[in-house]
Amino acid sequence: MPADEEKSVYLTFDDGPVPGPTEFVLHTLKSFQVKGTFFCIGDNVRKHPEIFMRIAHEGHSIGNHTFNHLNGWKTDTQQYVENTRRFDETARQVMPGFKTSLFRPPYGRITRSQLRRLPDYQVVMWDVLSYDFDRSITPGSCLHNTLKAVRNGSIVVFHDSHKALARLEFVLPRFVDKLLSEGFSFKSIAI
């Protein structure tokens, strides 16, 4: 890569907004002055509207992660599409005028039929999964493995959930700090 070419990474966070984990992520991103993309669950938006609004007000991108974190491979197409649209309705109730074209299928599982029925969305997958949700992985291993996998242009998945919090609190600030020291910038995915 030429020396003048920018190196960048996309930080993404799945499963929020959740009191505690999402607030930790927002605080960390603000302390490093970087942006991320949050793929939110509609039911969590309904339960925690103030955190959802904070994500938007702090300048991060927001994507749809269905209303109930449905696995597309195990869900009827009509039910999946309705559940995805329900996220949009809930988000607009919290923030009138809210619109996103970003969609991440929970577990990365979606059928062709479901995709065809959701033409307004840009499906955003990832190339680096932090495994911060896996309680059998130590925080140190989570950090090491995530740093080892990241490349220029990587889309990295973390989870702003209670299940991931112990690893997230250790990994996220160290991950961001290390990549910044290596000349990376962090970008949010455009809506």
Side-chain angles (χ1 to χ4, degrees):
M1 168 184 319
D4 61 348
E5 190 174 320
E6 181 184 19
K7 298 187 297 184
S8 59
V9 169
Y10 298 88
L11 287 175
T12 67
F13 302 91
D14 287 7
D15 301 348
V18 178
T22 306
E23 293 160 323
F24 166 77
V25 170
L26 289 169
H27 172 77
T28 302
L29 297 181
K30 187 179 235 178
S31 72
F32 284 103
Q33 298 180 343
V34 300
K35 299 298 179 195
T37 304
F38 290 76
F39 288 93
C40 297
I41 294 173
D43 196 37
N44 286 339
V45 171
R46 179 188 63 79
K47 292 176 190 170
H48 313 292
E50 67 291 342
I51 303 173
F52 180 71
M53 288 187 293
R54 182 177 165 197
I55 293 168
H57 291 144
E58 292 188 11
H60 304 286
S61 293
I62 297 173
N64 183 329
H65 201 46
T66 72
F67 189 83
N68 295 110
H69 203 264
L70 296 182
N71 181 332
W73 294 358
K74 297 179 178 179
T75 308
D76 167 78
T77 295
Q78 185 61 32
Q79 180 187 358
Y80 192 85
V81 170
E82 288 172 4
N83 197 271
T84 301
R85 299 282 184 215
R86 189 172 172 200
F87 167 91
D88 292 327
E89 294 163 13
T90 302
R92 279 192 298 275
Q93 287 171 357
V94 171
M95 284 192 323
F98 174 82
K99 183 164 176 45
T100 184
S101 60
L102 304 178
F103 178 72
R104 175 170 286 158
Y107 314 101
R109 295 184 176 156
I110 188 168
T111 67
R112 287 189 182 122
S113 173
Q114 292 159 352
L115 273 172
R116 280 193 297 272
R117 297 274 307 277
L118 297 168
D120 301 337
Y121 291 104
Q122 171 189 345
V123 175
V124 180
M125 298 303 252
W126 59 87
D127 64 302
V128 178
L129 182 60
S130 67
Y131 287 96
D132 56 351
F133 57 85
D134 187 341
R135 292 182 171 133
S136 72
I137 295 176
T138 67
S141 292
C142 183
L143 175 62
H144 173 78
N145 294 341
T146 305
L147 283 169
K148 189 171 74 173
V150 77
R151 313 238 179 303
N152 183 34
S154 282
I155 298 174
V156 183
V157 179
F158 290 101
H159 295 80
D160 51 333
S161 67
H162 288 290
K163 186 176 181 180
L165 187 58
R167 283 150 304 283
L168 184 66
E169 286 178 327
F170 180 85
V171 174
L172 184 60
R174 289 166 177 84
F175 179 82
V176 172
D177 188 53
K178 175 71 171 160
L179 291 187
L180 285 172
S181 75
E182 293 179 1
F184 280 86
S185 65
F186 291 90
K187 297 181 177 179
S188 59
I189 300 169
I191 295 177

